[in-house]
Amino acid sequence: MTRFIAFALATLAPLPAAALTCLPHSVEATYQRADKAEESFVVVQGRLTFDATALPDNGTGNQNPPQITRLPAQISGMALSEGGFDVPFEQPLTLEVACYGPWCGSAEEGDVLAFVEQSPQDGYLLESNPCGGNLFTAPKPAMIDQVKTCFAGGACTPAR
């Protein structure tokens, strides 16, 4: 009987959580992906604002969050051109936060480096997913310099 109880209790124990494996989230990898995409992208350094209370749970309690959460947002800053980040850019956009199972992308209001998709039908779209997506929060100066280097045709190889 003791064996049966131990077996029954073992079957009720939580299983180890499966891990989400992502490639390193880097400016170089995101730049290359955007550069090769059929869609058009604008690289923007600026301030992102949206209603953060509408974000999905990010796996902390809801084990079945929606696959995609779309939020109205605004980005104000400067877009990248041959001269650097020197083109004023202030646009409403859709922040699209994807979830892969219980893991969800994240976003924070504030300073960002964003690879914003420009769609003739849908306007501007900014995607975040559990592996990073097209959004970098609180970008470091080295990240800004690196995306300028990529844009200018310089070294743009993601670290492994």
Side-chain angles (χ1 to χ4, degrees), residues 27 45 111-113 136-147:
V27 170
Q45 180 184 8
D111 294 334
V112 298
L113 177 62
F136 297 86
T137 303
K140 308 244 182 305
M143 296 168 78
I144 302 302
D145 291 342
Q146 182 58 57
V147 78

Side-chain angles (χ1 to χ4, degrees), residues 128-142:
S128 175
N129 63 53
C131 294
N134 297 330
L135 178 62
F136 297 86
T137 303
K140 308 244 182 305

Side-chain angles (χ1 to χ4, degrees), residues 8-140:
L9 289 174
T11 61
L12 296 175
L15 297 173
L20 177 65
T21 303
C22 298
L23 294 173
H25 185 227
S26 71
V27 170
E28 299 90 345
T30 305
Y31 183 90
Q32 288 180 357
R33 189 177 65 249
D35 192 43
K36 292 175 185 169
E38 289 183 19
E39 300 82 10
S40 296
F41 285 85
V42 179
V43 184
V44 180
Q45 180 184 8
R47 180 160 186 79
L48 180 66
T49 55
F50 61 96
D51 179 6
T53 63
L55 287 170
D57 187 15
N58 204 21
T60 58
N62 182 359
Q63 293 303 306
N64 295 306
Q67 288 184 335
I68 299 289
T69 300
R70 290 180 178 86
L71 309 170
Q74 174 83 22
I75 192 164
S76 302
M78 304 298 269
L80 183 60
S81 76
E82 290 82 13
F85 285 95
D86 61 356
V87 178
F89 190 91
E90 184 163 339
Q91 294 292 329
L93 57 83
T94 299
L95 176 61
E96 186 175 276
V97 180
C99 296
Y100 305 157
W103 300 279
C104 295
S106 64
E108 294 177 19
E109 287 194 303
D111 294 334
V112 298
L113 177 62
F115 292 74
V116 180
E117 182 182 336
Q118 184 177 5
S119 166
Q121 302 90 341
D122 302 321
Y124 292 98
L125 175 71
L126 177 56
E127 188 254 341
S128 175
N129 63 53
C131 294
N134 297 330
L135 178 62
F136 297 86
T137 303
K140 308 244 182 305

